[in-house]
Amino acid sequence: MKPVYIHSAVCISAQPTFESENTIPEFHELTGKKIEAIHPNFKNYISPIALRRMATGVKMGVAAASKALKNAGIEQPDAILTGTGMGCIEDTEKFLNAMIDNEEEFLTPTSFIQSTHNTVGAQIALGLKCKAYNNTFVHGALSFESALLDAQLLLQEDEAKHVLVGGVDEMGTEFVNLVRMMEDKSSDGIKVPFGEGAAFFILSSEVTKDNIQLLDIACFSTLSKDAVNDNLHNFLKNNGLGVSDIDVVMVGNNGDSFDPYYDKATSMFSKTTSFLKYKNLCGEFYTASAFGLFLAYEILKSQHIPMVLHQNQSEKPIDTIVLYNQFKGRDHSFILLKRC
C-alpha cells in the first residue's frame, strides 16, 4: 500500500497557531473554566455575505481548510473529510431555545438547517465548488481519527491523491456550561478548561521535501488499563518499531480520574523519551486530538518543543512521535508520525 504524507497543517486554537508560519509560537498554559479560540480575520477567507450566516465552528473550519489548501498549493482536493463531536452546537442551541420561546410554533428553519454536523464539510465544498467525495464523522472523541482513517484508506487504495481532512468543534454556550458544571461538582472531573478549535491537513501519497509521514492510526472503542500497553506495543511492532525507537510521546491528559490510562502507557517507554501533554494548551473538546496532531507535525518539522512543554526533553533529534488520546476511558486512539 502507498505511504501517506502530511503536506500542510493549519490550526485555529486558543494559542496563536493560525498566524504562525513555519514556526511554533511560544504557547501559554490555559486557565479558567472555558477558553475560546483565537479567531483570525475571517473576511480574508470567507465573503462577508456568507460570513453573517455562519456559526463559529463553520467559520473556523472554512478558514483553516482554505489556508491548508493554499499552503499545499492545492486548488481542488480529491476528498473532503471532517470529524466533529458536537457539530454546530451554537445553531442547535438557537433552534431549541426558539422552540421553547415560541412554544413550538412559527419557527424559522434557518438555525435547524445550519445545525447539522456536516455543515462544515458542506460549506468548504460550496466555497471550492468541489463535487468530490465528502464525508463527516461524528464518533465522539474518535471523530477526527475516523476522518483520518478514511483519508488513509483513500490514499493507500489509490482512490485519491490529495485529501483535505480536519477536526472542528465549537463550544456553544449552554451545553458547555452544563457539562462544565457537572465536571466541577465531581472531585475527579476534568481540570483543564473546555475549549474549541479547528485543525485541517492536506494528506497525500506523493512525497515532497520536508514532508512528515503518517505511518499508522489505530482506534479502540474500549480498552482496559491493563490492555493499553499490549495494544500500544503491538501497534508499534506492526510498524517495525519498538519503544526505544520513539522520541516523543504526546498524551491527552485533562486532569480527570482517567489520566492513569496515560500513566500506564508512558510507563513502557525509556527515560530518553520525551513525554508531552497538550490539552492544557488547547482545552478539552471532542476533536482536541487534531490540535495534538498539528503540534506533533510542527515539532517534527521544526525540531523544536515549546518551552511550556519541556518536561524531560532529551537532546537527540526528533524523528518519531506517537500520540495517545482517550476520553473517559473510552475512544482510545494511537497516531504514529515519522520525519522523512
Side-chain angles (χ1 to χ4, degrees), residues 77-89:
D78 299 314
I80 299 172
L81 304 171
T82 311
T84 180
M86 292 305 299
C88 300
I89 190 66

Side-chain angles (χ1 to χ4, degrees), residues 23-44:
T23 183
I24 302 180
E26 284 304 331
F27 296 139
H28 62 277
E29 195 160 354
L30 303 179
T31 58
K33 302 295 185 183
K34 56 182 184 177
I35 301 291
E36 292 183 355
I38 299 172
H39 297 155
N41 185 352
F42 291 121
K43 292 180 181 178
N44 294 334

